[in-house]
Amino acid sequence: MIRLLFLIIIATVVLVLAYIGFKTIPLARKMTVAGGALAAAAVALLMQSSFAWYMPVLALVAISLVSSLVYMKLLEKEEKEKEQEAEERKARRQELISAAPSTSSIIEAKTAVKEPEPIKERETIKVPEKVIMPETVKMPELKKEPEAEREPELVGAKPFGMQSIKPVGKEDQREQ
């Protein structure tokens, strides 16, 4: 009884993983693989108590073989459908090509439409009569930048350095 319970638990886990885990594989193929494995395990579990040890193993192999044959038949069926669709597409393309006008008439039609137009007048380059010489051109007066304001110099300021640091205790002595 406990073996049957374990089989049911494992079967639910396997079916859920097969359904969710392999999303690119069609449902029929997924369930063929998972169902075949579970059916083989169930038959082997039922046969284990009443038959010799090698009989459940043979049942496992036989049921796995049958499920793999079913899986291969599904693959063959899908491949045949794809081949038929490809042949139908080729036939449709051939019909379109045969129904379309010949390529030589298409080329003639294109060349007839693209004839160049005759030129009525010659183009001339027009040059202005009055040329402005560089000497006569007035340059705009450029604004001069204002001179930078100088910072006032500090009279009597000591340079910043170690000399400007006074000892802490000596200030109090000078004030007294």
Side-chain angles (χ1 to χ4, degrees):
M1 194 67 173
I2 293 176
R3 291 180 192 164
L4 188 61
L5 180 65
F6 283 141
L7 178 68
I8 292 171
I9 291 170
I10 291 171
T12 56
V13 170
V14 166
L15 288 175
V16 168
L17 288 176
Y19 184 74
I20 294 173
F22 305 107
K23 292 189 177 187
T24 59
I25 300 172
L27 183 64
R29 291 192 334 210
K30 278 192 275 191
M31 289 306 139
T32 301
V33 171
L38 293 175
V43 169
L45 180 68
L46 295 175
M47 291 178 69
Q48 188 176 14
S49 60
S50 58
F51 292 101
W53 68 271
Y54 58 89
M55 293 302 282
V57 173
L58 289 175
L60 270 171
V61 171
I63 294 174
S64 297
L65 179 65
V66 169
S67 65
S68 66
L69 289 174
V70 170
Y71 182 80
M72 291 307 295
K73 288 293 181 182
L74 287 173
L75 280 178
E76 286 179 13
K77 182 180 175 184
E78 289 176 6
E79 286 181 13
K80 284 182 183 179
E81 289 174 359
K82 288 180 183 177
E83 287 177 8
Q84 287 176 352
E85 289 175 1
E87 289 175 6
E88 290 173 3
R89 277 184 268 152
K90 284 181 183 178
R92 277 188 253 140
R93 280 190 213 137
Q94 290 297 328
E95 289 175 9
L96 289 174
I97 290 172
S98 63
S102 65
T103 55
S104 61
S105 63
I106 293 173
I107 293 172
E108 291 171 4
K110 285 183 180 179
T111 55
V113 172
K114 293 187 176 180
E115 290 181 17
E117 296 179 10
I119 299 173
K120 296 178 182 176
E121 294 180 16
R122 286 188 165 184
E123 292 185 23
T124 58
I125 299 174
K126 296 181 180 178
V127 180
E129 294 176 13
K130 187 176 181 183
V131 179
I132 301 173
M133 299 302 289
E135 298 133 9
T136 60
V137 176
K138 293 183 179 178
M139 294 296 291
E141 293 182 21
L142 298 175
K143 295 180 182 178
K144 295 181 180 178
E145 294 182 17
E147 294 182 16
E149 295 180 17
R150 294 183 184 175
E151 295 182 16
E153 294 182 16
L154 298 175
V155 179
K158 296 180 182 177
F160 185 74
M162 293 301 289
Q163 293 94 5
S164 63
I165 299 175
K166 298 177 183 175
V168 175
K170 294 189 178 180
E171 283 184 33
D172 297 333
Q173 293 174 0
R174 288 185 197 161
E175 291 177 4
Q176 294 177 359

